[in-house]
Amino acid sequence: MIVMARVCIMVWFQRIALGLLRCDYMLHEYTLKQVEMNTIASSFAGISTAITQLDRFILTEIGRLDSMEHIPPNGALAGLCNGMLDAWKMYNNKTAIILFIVEDVTYNICDQRFHEFEIRRLNPHVKVIRRTLTQMADRASLSKDKELIVDGNIVGVIYFRSGYETAAYHSQREWDARLLMERSKAIKCPSIQYHLAGTKKVQQELCKPGVLELFFDDAKKLESIRELFVGIYGLEFDDAGNQAVQLAIRNPERYVLKPQREGGGNNIYGFKIKDAIMGMKDSKERTAWILMEKICPPLTRGYVVRPGGPKVPPLSNLVSELGIFGVIIGDAEHIMVNKQVGHMLRTKDATADEGGVASGLGTLDGPFLVDD
Ligand SMILES: Nc1ncnc2c1ncn2[C@@H]1O[C@H](COP(=O)(O)OP(=O)(O)O)[C@@H](O)[C@H]1O
Ligand SMILES: *[C@@H]1O[C@H](CO)[C@@H](O)[C@H](O)[C@H]1NC(C)=O
């Protein structure tokens, strides 16, 4: 068996993976709790960096320069782009380019393109191109050394801003294009294993007793990570799964029911959980979902300015969700880069279940830090 494993490792493949992460938190009784971890297409580093500048501009305009220190610095955009450039350096071929895999129509273009411009600013020698999965299916190939070639360019780093939902794969050809990229020598952001690490199922597994211990031995670190978790339960056909089903039926208002999806708008909340669970209690479908304790953040009051809204927005009850951007570069044995680079804050009406900005429910905001 050991000999077999060695043989496999000798076959060339890209061992380095890049993660541009956004870990989302909400306050629950004044401690931070993790909502989820995004490992693919983590968005809003561009616009939230601009929001920090906007907040500073506004403080200046209203004559509150004295409060400037309460607005924390935000290096999200440069941080993520430097992550891509660090990975590009590790690929170690000056002629290589960075490829963005993009949606057919990019609704979040004003966030996404900032990344391209920032890479251009940080290192004008590195070319960035954008291609859809369908264009990759038409135009990409592998050289005999497993270099990924698209339209005559060698790709050093692939940055996926699309490909996290099955709807992006219109036919088998797009799946084949993803596989081609995975098989290539290009450094993927994320690699397939980093992509899978961001699923709700993995988040649920990490909450199980004894699992974090596999990754950390420092007891203090373990405790501070565990404190970020709320209860998350799988719905398998076993004792634990059956118990979770009972919890959800008895107190649906205490939970959020989540499928293995990304991009918002897929979760089920409150009394609807009961119907959903009753409907799939006896089918295999239920194992595709996880049940997560609901986080109840404290209310703040503020004015939400939105296009098409009233000229003078009403004072409303709001809740916020903090996203922390991070960069990780590693292979199976080593972590070469692992750092926090910036933040974003989304604020939504307290009555809205989800805070999606693209869906029009949430707004981009910025933190103002005060001593408690
Ligand atoms: N446990 C929870 N408690 C309260 N709100 C939640 C919880 N989980 C998710 N939400 C809300 O739903 C939104 C989407 O959930 P999330 O797990 O981030 O799914 P997606 O990956 O589709 O964005 C979050 O941004 C948050 O506003
Ligand atoms: C970069 O890639 C090109 C195309 O495969 C190759 O000809 C060249 O030798 C590579 N350069 C380095 C430094 O590996």
Side-chain angles (χ1 to χ4, degrees), residues 17-23 37-43 45 76-87 98 100 115 119 157-161 188-191 194-195 324-329 337 339 341:
L18 166 66
L20 300 181
L21 315 172
R22 201 191 70 217
C23 197
M37 166 92 134
N38 298 288
T39 60
I40 185 165
S42 310
S43 60
L77 181 63
L80 296 197
C81 293
N82 273 317
M84 284 190 256
L85 287 168
D86 285 345
I98 297 179
F100 286 21
H115 298 71
I119 290 170
V157 177
I158 310 174
Y159 173 48
F160 286 98
R161 285 291 293 240
K188 271 77 69 184
C189 174
S191 59
Y194 277 21
H195 184 174
I324 299 293
F325 290 100
V327 174
I328 188 159
I329 305 180
V337 177
K339 59 185 175 195
V341 296

Side-chain angles (χ1 to χ4, degrees), residues 201 204 233-246 249 257-260 276-291:
K201 195 67 194 168
Q204 174 235 310
Y233 312 99
L235 300 177
E236 278 75 23
F237 287 97
D238 55 15
D239 285 348
N242 291 335
Q243 254 168 29
V245 165
Q246 288 311 314
I249 293 173
L257 187 63
K258 299 187 178 188
Q260 306 305 311
I277 294 251
M278 294 303 272
M280 61 187 172
K281 189 156 69 64
D282 303 314
S283 86
K284 210 172 151 215
E285 162 77 8
R286 84 177 213 198
T287 62
W289 296 74
I290 59 156
L291 187 71

Side-chain angles (χ1 to χ4, degrees), residues 91-96 143 145 147 149 154 185:
Y91 187 80
N92 199 22
N93 189 321
K94 285 212 162 60
T95 64
S143 74
D145 296 332
E147 291 162 315
I149 318 261
I154 307 161
K185 205 164 142 177

Side-chain angles (χ1 to χ4, degrees), residues 26 36 200 258 262-264 267 269 293 295 321 348:
M26 291 200 289
E36 66 150 350
K200 312 282 189 284
K258 299 187 178 188
E262 291 293 333
N267 301 339
Y269 299 84
E293 278 172 7
I295 307 167
E321 186 169 344
K348 66 179 179 185

Side-chain angles (χ1 to χ4, degrees), residues 80-146:
L80 296 197
C81 293
N82 273 317
M84 284 190 256
L85 287 168
D86 285 345
W88 177 85
K89 274 187 216 120
M90 292 177 196
Y91 187 80
N92 199 22
N93 189 321
K94 285 212 162 60
T95 64
I97 62 152
I98 297 179
L99 164 71
F100 286 21
I101 297 297
V102 300
E103 311 91 316
D104 299 325
V105 178
T106 301
Y107 294 102
N108 207 358
I109 191 75
C110 296
D111 178 60
Q112 210 182 90
R113 288 215 79 178
F114 275 119
H115 298 71
E116 226 176 304
F117 304 148
E118 184 69 4
I119 290 170
R120 179 69 73 256
R121 189 180 73 81
L122 292 166
N123 187 344
H125 300 292
V126 182
K127 185 171 160 184
V128 173
I129 64 168
R130 306 161 55 82
R131 295 290 182 273
T132 64
L133 285 168
T134 308
Q135 288 168 336
M136 290 303 285
D138 291 339
R139 282 137 69 171
S141 60
L142 294 188
S143 74
K144 68 173 186 336
D145 296 332
K146 296 278 196 299

